[in-house]
Amino acid sequence: MTASDVNESAPAEHEEPPRTPDGGMGPSTDKKPSQVHYHHPAAGWGAAKSVTHVLVKERALVDGPRAIFRMNHENTGFDCPGCAWPDDTKGLKLDICENGIKHVTWEMTPKRVGADFFAAHTVSELSTWTDFALEDQGRLTQPLVYDAATDRYVPIDWQEAFDLIGGELRALESPNQAAFYTSGRLGNEATFLYQLMAREFGTNNLPDCSNMCHEASGRALQAALGTGKGTADLKDWETADALFIMGVNAASNAPRMLTALAEAYRRGAQIVHINPLVEAAATRTIVPHDITDMALFKSTRTSTLNLQVRAGGDMALLRGIAKAVLEESEHDPKALDREFIDRHTHGFDAYRAVCEATSWEELELQSGLTRAEILKAADIYSRSDRTLISWCLGVSQHEHGVDTIREIVNVLLLRGNLGREGAGPSPVRGHSNVQGNRTCGIDHRPTEAFLRRLDDVCGIDAPRPHGLDTVATVAGMHEGKVKVFVGMGGNFALAAPDTAYTAEGLARCALTVHVSTKLNRSHLAHGKKALILPCLGRTEKDHQRHGMQATSVEDSMSMVHLSLGMKRPASRDLLSEPAIIAGMARATLPDSSTPWEHYIEDYDRIRDTMARVLDGFEDFNRRVRLPLGFRIRQPARELVFLTPTGRAEFSAAPLPDVVPQDGTLILQTMRSHDQWNTTIYSDDDRYRGIKNLRTLVFMNRADMRARHIKDGSLVDITATAKDGTRRTLRQYHALPYDIPRSCAAGYMPEMNALISASDYSLQSDQPLMKSLKVTISPSRTD
Ligand SMILES: Nc1nc2c(c(=O)[nH]1)N[C@H]1C(S)=C(S)[C@@H](COP(=O)(O)OP(=O)(O)OC[C@H]3O[C@@H](n4cnc5c(=O)[nH]c(N)nc54)[C@H](O)[C@@H]3O)O[C@H]1N2
Ligand SMILES: Nc1nc2c(c(=O)[nH]1)N[C@H]1C(S)=C(S)[C@@H](COP(=O)(O)OP(=O)(O)OC[C@H]3O[C@@H](n4cnc5c(=O)[nH]c(N)nc54)[C@H](O)[C@@H]3O)O[C@H]1N2
Ligand SMILES: [Mo]
């Protein structure tokens, strides 16, 4: 098969990328960067070719495919760690994707990093390596402790490591001087034990990656519907007749959504993409598991309308849709579902008033769309009987993320698009178990009801004051309030805003502990004492006293199912995440009556306790073994609203002003196709036509011209933070792109250097990763 994945037309050539003397994110390469117009459908052979490339590079040509065929099977394989998209309810065995495969092979690499490696390299030296090079050393094989005398990580015994942690934690003046971070891959059982340990120890300091991801979604849905999750499931995706896809790059970050979109198109549904960029999922796809389509290069459209809103303009568009529906209802009462509004909602009159009071001129200005475009979307919405609205970071990582997501619910409520098939809100969650983490207790603001049950069942006395989230944890490190940091997975140093400030915060800690599978930047930005604890990955066999153990995970649509590893562990010295937590807990709480060791022998015992603490987990051990697991009860789906009024709440928030002034641009930081959060596989971004370049900024051509910036030339980007401080990234390549005026885009995590710790939303406390106020000008050549 010779399908090439880039346009053969002569690529535009740019200057060499700058070297990255102090470490960079992607691989260091001398290859010339290029930008082309990508015109192939998403997925299909481009994806197949890319997968083969990864399998070859990771030397996983045998194990890789074998693992892929075991992935996402009905309770006999492991859950794909690539994203939180649910498994196909029809049990399609090949519902897998390019990026999931990359993610799994990344974990399964035969490369190993052991004591010899750490003996040969000081931490100062490793700090100059690129992040790609750090992870590329392979899987961590044994526990390591930082030795300040030699500036090296050296091997340590597991028990000694636990004792070190226990000693430091017990020596704190207050349990609130410790913070326990969770990245969203942690399975449910480990999650439950982790929060239990933190709360039994005495703190709610449980920052998690959700604080940077979907905190806004959780808060908005909780306030509007009384549950912090979406109500739609895959069946609804299969039956909706209009789908609104907002602020997500699905072809790269939730590729299995492509199949749902292609199927929707084939059955005649309307698919509206709302995004400043026309992403690959808003064009066409070759459905990867459809063998005939693959063989015939047959692509299916995945969009019927693309609306390129300005950054942060979604709320204005949604309000415009609502305004149009309300206007229509004046002559056609069926435009609204009055019966639904009267029976199930609260606050409709105030919402109608705020819609009426907002002028079309204002809505056009704030959304960056014409009235005709807004009316087109409204018309699709009005004609649809079953509408589903989905969103991701393009909506949540803004100052007004909570208001915007509540506006999504407002629009759905107007026509009763809730609690019935084919309809409802459907956030696309990020990490494969980030939703499960919240369900199982990772929350720095736990409810009283949850804590009471935890106390009753587990016999502890959980603290009541709210804990620190991600942003507050970093601030706490600087203020000397957080002295011990434990990271269960993730790469806190790179994922959090203001990279230098976060690293300095970690360095101020008395102890940093990272439970990881691969070496990363967070291990190098270490505290005075530091541990790296290597754990089993999701693909690996977890053998405990009572035999092989499986762990459960929850997907974006509240389905809980088991994940069972099938590979021999990367090293004999690895422990499972639950076992590491139990080890830390026992060393920290020697007199604890929690049966930590007993739990680890058989995870069914953890599940039995979880069944008594968590709503919707009754009979957990049996139900999780059903062929596709079980779905957690969703009260809002049954039109039961756990809000103070017992009804779904309209929100009448004022429309924010999102139009930048005085030559300021709004910069969003996003992922390339070839990365998984802070893990960068290559410097390419296939669907956006980029090769060998990450230090780039996409701009509207007119904005470039106004600033005398030539295609591909070097620019400096300066962000002005909420607190007035400025941060600059120099020598980035400015590339013209189809993006609205005054909007710009580049890659995370590089651009976290531009985000101040003060740049977080007052509504969600989420860092403003999609709305930095920046100026961009040609780099000085002297
Ligand atoms: N392969 C792969 N899969 C992943 C990840 C990964 O890194 N790699 N990460 C996982 C995680 S943790 C998460 S949270 C998700 C992230 O999934 P995404 O939300 O797709 O992540 P981003 O790459 O940040 O892309 C943000 C999208 O929002 C758009 N956008 C930006 N600003 C606005 C705006 O104001 N309005 C609208 N409507 N759109 C806007 C951008 O153009 C872009 O398409 O993916 C998960 N899946
Ligand atoms: N500027 C900007 N910054 C962002 C974002 C953005 O859009 N823009 N997005 C934010 C979002 S949505 C998120 S979710 C965060 C991501 O933040 P994190 O979750 O903290 O970061 P990851 O890059 O996903 O973590 C990668 C590391 O996890 C470890 N790991 C991998 N698998 C396992 C495992 O099975 N167990 C354990 N214990 N460790 C494992 C490996 O050591 C690897 O180096 O980043 C946030 N940061
Ligand atoms: Mo995320």
Side-chain angles (χ1 to χ4, degrees):
M1 217 44 70
T2 55
S4 76
D5 64 343
V6 287
N7 190 331
E8 315 291 28
S9 66
E13 286 196 355
H14 304 303
E15 301 150 50
E16 282 291 304
R19 295 288 108 210
T20 44
D22 49 327
M25 280 68 181
S28 207
T29 142
D30 294 329
K31 289 184 198 150
K32 280 238 186 285
S34 65
Q35 180 187 20
V36 294
H37 174 65
Y38 188 82
H39 62 97
H40 297 279
W45 287 107
K49 186 173 157 187
S50 164
V51 165
T52 315
H53 183 71
V54 173
L55 292 177
V56 171
K57 210 170 72 184
E58 293 293 345
R59 292 185 261 129
L61 259 176
V62 179
D63 278 344
R66 202 185 295 152
I68 289 154
F69 285 101
R70 292 285 295 272
M71 199 153 75
N72 296 337
H73 281 204
E74 298 179 0
N75 274 348
T76 56
F78 56 89
D79 182 64
C80 176
C83 74
W85 189 259
D87 300 334
D88 197 300
T89 47
K90 288 176 297 207
L92 249 182
K93 299 284 189 252
L94 263 175
D95 201 11
I96 47 178
C97 76
E98 172 196 1
N99 277 352
I101 293 168
K102 278 192 220 156
H103 207 62
V104 168
T105 32
W106 173 90
E107 179 174 300
M108 298 200 330
T109 177
K111 297 179 198 168
R112 298 286 178 269
V113 51
D116 301 353
F117 172 87
F118 289 101
H121 306 284
T122 64
V123 169
S124 310
E125 184 210 332
L126 292 174
S127 300
T128 66
W129 290 26
T130 66
D131 297 274
F132 175 85
L134 294 176
E135 292 204 15
D136 198 39
Q137 301 314 306
R139 289 287 300 278
L140 293 157
T141 51
Q142 65 198 111
L144 299 158
V145 63
Y146 181 66
D147 175 32
T150 58
D151 186 32
R152 284 177 171 82
Y153 273 104
V154 297
I156 184 174
D157 205 54
W158 275 106
Q159 194 52 50
E160 275 179 66
F162 294 145
D163 290 343
L164 173 60
I165 297 168
E168 289 289 326
L169 284 174
R170 277 184 282 121
L172 294 175
E173 291 143 30
S174 150
N176 291 323
Q177 290 177 331
F180 299 93
Y181 176 70
T182 313
S183 162
R185 293 184 56 150
L186 199 64
N188 287 335
E189 292 73 12
T191 298
F192 183 80
L193 293 187
Y194 192 50
Q195 62 83 34
L196 179 60
M197 173 183 81
R199 295 194 165 114
E200 187 173 342
F201 177 59
T203 185
N204 283 313
N205 286 348
L206 289 161
D208 66 354
C209 67
S210 216
N211 298 147
M212 301 181 264
C213 195
H214 272 293
E215 188 76 41
S217 307
R219 292 196 191 177
L221 294 172
Q222 185 68 41
L225 305 176
T227 41
K229 301 176 188 180
T231 66
D233 61 20
L234 259 195
K235 188 105 199 295
D236 298 319
W237 280 76
E238 286 163 7
T239 46
D241 41 40
L243 299 110
F244 287 73
I245 312 296
M246 307 181 69
V248 58
N249 173 16
S252 298
N253 297 332
R256 286 186 286 159
M257 189 201 288
L258 290 172
T259 309
L261 296 182
E263 282 173 6
Y265 186 85
R266 286 176 184 168
R267 70 170 180 268
Q270 294 288 323
I271 308 163
V272 183
H273 290 267
I274 297 160
N275 197 315
L277 311 184
V278 178
E279 300 284 27
T283 56
R284 293 170 300 139
T285 186
I286 296 183
V287 178
H289 61 238
D290 193 325
I291 304 298
T292 339
D293 285 5
M294 284 289 274
L296 300 175
F297 289 89
K298 187 169 154 239
S299 66
T300 308
R301 277 179 63 184
T302 46
S303 169
T304 54
L305 178 67
N306 291 339
L307 295 174
Q308 289 181 264
V309 281
R310 75 158 72 246
D314 304 80
M315 185 163 165
L317 165 63
L318 291 158
R319 190 150 287 182
I321 294 174
K323 188 176 173 72
V325 169
L326 289 164
E327 284 177 0
E328 192 190 336
S329 73
E330 284 163 22
H331 47 86
D332 177 7
K334 286 211 295 297
L336 293 176
D337 188 340
R338 273 306 322 200
E339 198 194 326
F340 180 91
I341 293 171
D342 293 344
R343 280 184 62 176
H344 298 296
T345 73
H346 174 253
F348 171 67
D349 291 337
Y351 181 59
R352 176 164 53 191
V354 79
C355 289
E356 280 169 2
T358 317
S359 70
W360 279 110
E361 291 71 32
E362 186 64 10
L363 293 170
E364 286 186 302
L365 175 70
Q366 296 298 335
S367 65
L369 301 170
T370 63
R371 182 170 173 177
E373 287 172 311
I374 301 174
L375 290 178
K376 226 184 217 174
D379 189 50
I380 290 174
Y381 181 58
S382 290
R383 282 165 192 269
S384 153
D385 284 334
R386 292 179 296 271
T387 300
L388 184 150
I389 305 185
S390 179
W391 69 93
C392 198
L393 302 181
V395 173
S396 64
Q397 289 181 331
H398 280 282
E399 179 71 59
H400 302 278
V402 174
D403 284 347
T404 306
I405 295 158
R406 292 205 61 181
E407 198 76 12
I408 289 174
V409 177
N410 288 342
V411 167
L412 290 169
L413 294 179
L414 287 178
R415 291 180 46 76
N417 278 302
L418 198 76
R420 57 189 173 82
E421 198 169 271
S426 188
V428 180
R429 306 300 297 253
H431 268 292
S432 52
N433 198 38
V434 62
Q435 188 156 312
N437 296 155
R438 273 291 157 100
T439 305
C440 299
I442 302 298
D443 191 346
H444 62 286
R445 310 187 317 160
T447 62
E448 175 59 28
F450 170 78
L451 293 180
R452 211 175 310 130
R453 274 177 80 175
L454 188 68
D455 284 355
D456 289 350
V457 175
C458 298
I460 67 165
D461 193 6
R464 283 350 195 220
H466 287 174
L468 303 176
D469 65 1
T470 293
V471 168
T473 293
V474 181
M477 290 169 177
H478 279 265
E479 291 161 8
K481 292 183 186 154
V482 173
K483 296 186 170 161
V484 175
F485 176 87
V486 180
M488 277 308 285
N491 190 354
F492 192 77
L494 284 191
D498 201 338
T499 320
Y501 182 77
T502 300
E504 201 186 311
L506 286 164
R508 287 187 186 196
C509 289
L511 172 68
T512 50
V513 181
H514 289 281
V515 179
S516 311
T517 50
K518 289 204 179 172
L519 179 61
N520 69 35
R521 184 73 45 189
S522 299
H523 305 143
L524 310 178
H526 58 83
K528 290 179 189 65
K529 292 183 185 169
L531 289 164
I532 304 175
L533 304 181
C535 64
L536 294 174
R538 202 177 275 179
T539 54
E540 291 166 333
K541 289 182 182 156
D542 181 356
H543 204 89
Q544 303 292 347
R545 186 140 180 220
H546 281 193
M548 282 279 285
Q549 302 297 316
T551 56
S552 66
V553 290
E554 174 184 343
D555 66 30
S556 255
M557 301 184 195
S558 306
M559 285 294 299
V560 180
H561 60 100
L562 281 181
S563 173
L564 184 69
M566 33 95 37
K567 259 208 102 200
R568 189 150 43 92
S571 143
R572 270 195 221 184
D573 229 359
L574 302 183
L575 290 185
S576 74
E577 284 159 327
I580 294 173
I581 294 163
M584 291 196 288
R586 181 53 76 201
T588 309
L589 305 158
D591 304 325
S592 165
S593 57
T594 303
W596 299 104
E597 298 77 8
H598 182 74
Y599 276 149
I600 299 314
E601 289 176 359
D602 186 341
Y603 298 171
D604 275 2
R605 295 170 180 167
I606 311 175
R607 284 186 283 270
D608 280 339
T609 301
M610 293 170 77
R612 294 164 62 207
V613 175
L614 304 171
D615 271 338
F617 281 70
E618 304 75 26
D619 204 8
F620 189 10
N621 269 312
R622 184 187 63 82
R623 288 198 296 151
V624 81
R625 289 184 167 86
L626 296 173
L628 287 164
F630 67 96
R631 184 146 201 260
I632 301 174
R633 219 180 23 248
Q634 278 287 72
R637 171 72 195 215
E638 315 302 326
L639 300 177
V640 172
F641 302 106
L642 305 175
T643 55
T645 58
R647 287 161 170 261
E649 295 282 345
F650 276 100
S651 140
L655 194 65
D657 183 1
V658 295
V659 182
Q661 305 294 330
D662 307 326
T664 300
L665 300 162
I666 303 297
L667 173 76
Q668 63 145 318
T669 62
M670 59 190 186
R671 291 146 182 78
S672 75
H673 183 65
D674 246 7
Q675 81 181 76
W676 217 97
N677 293 344
T678 66
T679 299
I680 317 293
Y681 303 117
S682 86
D683 292 343
D684 301 344
D685 191 1
R686 189 169 80 245
Y687 294 140
R688 299 192 185 110
I690 300 301
K691 282 204 149 204
N692 305 319
L693 188 64
R694 286 189 56 86
T695 47
L696 63 76
V697 58
F698 292 127
M699 296 176 72
N700 181 293
R701 202 175 272 284
D703 284 330
M704 292 177 70
R705 221 176 290 127
R707 290 163 181 76
H708 309 288
I709 297 168
K710 295 201 201 70
D711 288 11
S713 67
L714 296 176
V715 293
D716 294 347
I717 309 166
T718 299
T720 305
K722 277 187 174 184
D723 64 5
T725 55
R726 288 175 185 214
R727 285 162 186 73
T728 300
L729 277 175
R730 298 188 195 283
Q731 311 257 308
Y732 267 55
H733 294 253
L735 300 181
Y737 204 81
D738 180 11
I739 185 171
R741 278 212 70 171
S742 75
C743 299
Y747 298 129
M748 64 82 75
E750 284 85 342
M751 284 185 165
N752 266 327
L754 287 174
I755 309 181
S756 153
S758 69
D759 280 332
Y760 60 89
S761 158
L762 295 180
Q763 305 189 337
S764 65
D765 301 317
Q766 270 190 241
L768 300 177
M769 289 159 166
K770 297 287 183 280
S771 59
L772 296 178
K773 292 194 167 62
V774 299
T775 54
I776 303 182
S777 52
S779 294
R780 294 218 320 258
T781 44
D782 53 325

